[in-house]
Amino acid sequence: MPTARIIPCLDVAEGRVVKGVKFRDHRDVGDIVDLALRYRDEGADELVFYDITASAEGRGVDTAWVHRVAAVIDIPFCVAGGIRSVDEAARVLESGADKISVNSPALERPELIAELADAFGRQCVVVGIDSLVAADGRWIVKQYTGKPEATIDAGRETVAWATEAVRLGAGEIVLNCIDRDGVRQGYDLAQTAAIIPLGVPVIASGGAGTVQHFADAFGAGVSGALAASVFHDRRIAIPDLKAQLRAMGVEVRL
């Protein structure tokens, strides 16, 4: 079984790392490079950076900070935010990112996923899905979630969209469960389990609050567990998390 990945998530807005609750009320939590270095030193397996307002604002990622991060860390990192073409993805990768992630741009134009997979290989292409539990219990996809005032329904159901994304060439799915984001009550394992049979690595996102939450996600079959506030606020230290997970039988990189 592949080694379980611990992945801090860094939401970027106006050149700073921020964190909200259920994708709203963002607060400043620090400098991009400072946090990247901290998580590298603590033993993170990967980092994910989301330029959270890029898609809603119709712009691409500012590659200046991607260069700055790439210059100082030696662990893989993924970048997302407004990547709408092969050329834009190439600029991000040439700036030092190891993978690119698309979310709203892929919903705008699904064939983008296939174009990116053809250009860079599907192992380089991550599709992020922002999923909300609707009033009727359905899992539905939201779009432009980086700006609450711009957020809309994407007109798709979560599992159907994930299935299409994999068919088009997504090499990995990050499932961001909006209802769990920042509340530290555990990952939405029902939603996550519905995506795992699609046959690509699945990253659980939204809800980590305890070591047991991480263990539960890996027990459900995810490849990686993404978290933000518990790491930013030092509620859980990555070395302690990995030591406890290993004691619980989860294979992690120490």
Side-chain angles (χ1 to χ4, degrees), residues 94-112:
E94 288 164 4
S95 298
D98 298 276
K99 294 187 283 189
I100 48 92
S101 180
V102 289
N103 188 326
S104 293
L107 289 162
E108 295 168 359
R109 196 171 64 85
E111 56 267 32
L112 173 64

Side-chain angles (χ1 to χ4, degrees), residues 147-203:
K147 277 194 163 185
E149 66 273 20
T151 301
I152 61 172
D153 287 344
R156 294 175 177 270
E157 294 195 8
T158 301
V159 176
W161 172 232
T163 302
E164 182 176 354
V166 171
R167 179 184 63 79
L168 287 167
E172 186 169 275
I173 298 289
V174 176
L175 183 63
N176 305 301
C177 295
I178 297 173
D179 304 277
R180 301 296 182 99
D181 178 66
V183 299
R184 303 180 185 136
Q185 295 177 351
Y187 295 104
D188 188 329
L189 299 182
Q191 283 200 66
T192 306
I195 304 297
I196 288 171
L198 295 179
V200 300
V202 174
I203 309 301

Side-chain angles (χ1 to χ4, degrees), residues 8-78:
C9 172
L10 295 86
D11 290 342
V12 176
E14 298 181 356
R16 299 281 294 177
V17 178
V18 300
K19 183 67 187 84
V21 175
K22 298 184 179 181
F23 291 20
R24 295 175 177 269
D25 303 320
H26 291 91
R27 58 187 171 90
D28 186 292
V29 295
D31 176 76
I32 298 170
V33 173
D34 288 348
L35 283 169
L37 284 168
R38 176 184 142 196
Y39 292 136
R40 177 207 66 182
D41 292 345
E42 290 180 358
D45 296 297
E46 297 179 20
L47 300 177
V48 173
F49 296 87
Y50 291 123
D51 187 332
I52 61 172
T53 62
S55 290
E57 293 174 352
R59 60 173 177 81
V61 172
D62 176 3
T63 56
W65 62 257
V66 181
H67 277 288
R68 291 169 55 216
V69 169
V72 298
I73 69 170
D74 54 2
I75 59 174
F77 70 98
C78 178

